[in-house]
């Protein structure tokens, strides 16, 4: 296994996988909390047009994808705010318009073909160039600065926009910033996971972490750990099995989710019995843990929060 590190392309692929494994769940936790888990998939469709434009204009497809995906993500937010038509219909047209535009433009490019798009759709460990790695490092730093540096503000906005607005937070600006950060994350991950599967890496590690933790900070940290584990192991599996890395990473993530769920369910039941039996006080559904009694913890039916659709919380506690 060690001999694969002798290859420069594997060194770049593993470093890119490490960065993607950290960055994708760091943004995905906010999308899950807002019940917009599929947003990454939509941005991936739009980013495909950016990749195709990069080939057409003979520029770096990664940077062009960042630009187009960011415009698409902002457009999604504007539709959510001002759209008079049904939001899901408008967004669907944007999603699939991005896919159709990418296929059309790539066929107009003298240096591109549908075969070129395949590596961006499903990822490829052999195509991460030094220039791509430089872009991935820079963009990952931006994603982590936003998602970790503004975690309190983003948490408040994602949990309850009205409450965040009353407290004086710039809700619309933060929503736009989160949308752009999600777009950047998609383009960071497309060389490793692929545009069609990147949403899974943003969501599944978070969903798995929610099964085992109750606090936001703990869920975020565990989700990032899960992300790193599946991206590195999936990339190594791709090298030995000669399969696209995106597929192996997502399959391993789903397996991990199943294992964590199977192990966490008995522990959660035991903890709930112990709490209701006079030891630790059980927290009612839809309530936050008071400050000083599990700071920053949200509980809904003994789980992490309402972000996974299991319940609602009235107001966020401190993160």
């Amino acid at each position: 296994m060690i001999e694969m590190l002798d290859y420069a392309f594997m060194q770049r692929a593993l470093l890119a996988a490490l960065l993607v494994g950290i960055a994708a769940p760091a943004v995905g936790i906010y999308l899950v909390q807002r019940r917009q888990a599929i947003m990454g998939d939509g941005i991936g469709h739009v980013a495909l047009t950016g990749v195709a434009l990069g080939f057409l204009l003979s520029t770096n497809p990664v940077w062009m994808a960042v630009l187009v995906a960011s415009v698409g993500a902002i457009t999604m937010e504007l539709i959510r705010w001002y759209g008079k038509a049904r939001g899901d219909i408008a967004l669907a047209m944007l999603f699939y318009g991005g896919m159709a535009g990418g296929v059309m433009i790539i066929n107009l490019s003298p240096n591109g073909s549908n075969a070129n798009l395949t590596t961006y759709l499903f990822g490829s460990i052999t195509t991460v160039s030094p220039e791509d790695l430089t872009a991935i490092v820079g963009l990952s730093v931006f994603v982590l600065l936003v998602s970790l540096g503004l975690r309190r503000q983003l948490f408040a906005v994602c949990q309850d926009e009205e409450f965040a607005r009353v407290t004086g937070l710039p809700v619309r600006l933060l929503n736009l910033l989160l949308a752009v950060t999600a777009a950047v994350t998609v383009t960071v991950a497309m060389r490793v996971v692929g545009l069609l599967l990147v949403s899974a890496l943003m969501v599944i590690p978070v969903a798995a972490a929610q099964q085992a933790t109750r606090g936001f900070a703990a869920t975020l940290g565990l989700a990032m750990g899960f992300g790193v584990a599946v991206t590195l192991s999936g990339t190594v599996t791709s090298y030995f099995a000669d399969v696209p890395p995106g597929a192996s990473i997502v399959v391993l993530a789903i397996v991990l989710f199943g294992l964590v769920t199977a192990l966490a369910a008995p522990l959660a039941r035991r903890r709930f019995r112990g709490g209701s039996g006079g030891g630790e006080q059980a927290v009612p559904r839809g309530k936050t843990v008071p400050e000083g009694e599990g700071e920053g913890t949200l509980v809904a039916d003994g789980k992490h929060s309402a972000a996974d659709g299991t319940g609602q919380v009235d107001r966020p506690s401190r993160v």
Side-chain angles (χ1 to χ4, degrees):
M1 180 178 291
I2 301 299
E3 66 272 8
M4 69 179 179
L5 297 178
D6 295 333
Y7 300 104
F9 75 89
M10 276 304 297
Q11 297 172 10
R12 294 192 295 269
L14 289 171
L15 180 56
L18 174 66
L19 294 172
V20 169
I22 295 173
V27 174
I29 191 170
Y30 301 109
L31 301 183
V32 171
Q33 193 172 348
R34 294 175 65 177
R35 294 177 176 83
Q36 292 182 339
I38 202 170
M39 183 177 181
D41 186 49
I43 295 175
H45 284 68
V46 176
L48 188 62
T49 298
V51 172
L53 281 173
F55 283 111
L56 180 64
L57 302 176
S58 299
T59 60
N60 190 317
V62 173
W63 291 111
M64 186 59 69
V66 170
L67 176 61
V68 174
S70 297
V71 171
I74 292 173
T75 303
M76 293 179 199
E77 279 297 307
L78 294 177
I79 290 174
R80 190 169 72 91
W81 294 343
Y82 303 114
K84 294 182 180 179
R86 280 179 52 190
D88 58 340
I89 295 177
L91 292 178
M93 289 190 292
L94 183 65
F95 294 170
Y96 300 115
M99 177 70 76
V103 174
M104 181 177 293
I105 294 173
I106 198 68
N107 281 281
L108 296 175
S109 172
N111 300 321
S113 66
N114 288 335
N116 295 118
L117 289 183
T118 302
T119 60
Y120 289 92
L121 291 174
F122 301 104
S124 175
I125 59 175
T126 62
T127 57
V128 181
S129 66
E131 293 77 17
D132 290 336
L133 186 59
T134 300
I136 290 172
V137 171
L139 294 172
S140 297
V141 170
F142 167 78
V143 169
L144 292 175
L145 285 176
V146 172
S147 57
L148 300 182
L150 297 176
R151 66 186 183 278
R152 296 176 185 271
Q153 294 85 347
L154 293 175
F155 174 83
V157 169
C158 293
Q159 188 66 38
D160 190 331
E161 285 192 5
E162 292 302 321
F163 178 74
R165 188 174 288 109
V166 169
T167 61
L169 290 176
V171 173
R172 289 194 171 179
L173 179 61
L174 289 170
N175 278 330
L176 286 175
L177 181 60
L178 180 59
V180 171
T181 305
V184 171
T185 305
V186 168
T187 54
V188 165
M190 69 181 180
R191 295 303 262 161
V192 177
V193 188
L195 291 172
L196 294 184
L197 298 174
V198 63
S199 184
L201 187 59
M202 298 171 73
V203 172
I204 297 176
V206 176
Q210 285 180 336
Q211 307 303 309
T213 60
R214 301 174 69 188
F216 178 83
T219 300
L220 176 61
L222 187 59
M224 293 168 68
F226 284 163
V228 170
V230 297
T231 51
L232 291 180
S233 57
T235 302
V236 172
T237 301
S238 174
Y239 172 80
F240 288 106
D242 193 21
V243 295
S248 58
I249 288 171
V250 172
V251 168
L252 289 174
I254 293 173
V255 171
L256 177 65
F257 174 81
L259 290 175
V260 173
T261 301
L263 294 174
L267 294 176
R269 285 195 296 268
R270 187 178 307 149
R271 184 171 56 221
F272 181 77
R273 291 195 202 100
S276 60
E280 179 188 359
Q281 184 179 1
V283 181
R285 177 186 178 91
K287 299 295 182 181
T288 59
V289 176
E291 294 182 6
E293 299 179 17
E295 182 177 351
T297 298
L298 295 179
V299 177
D301 282 346
K303 293 186 179 179
H304 161 66
S305 73
D308 57 354
T310 59
Q312 297 289 340
V313 285
D314 296 330
R315 290 290 183 267
S317 60
R318 290 186 292 178
V319 183

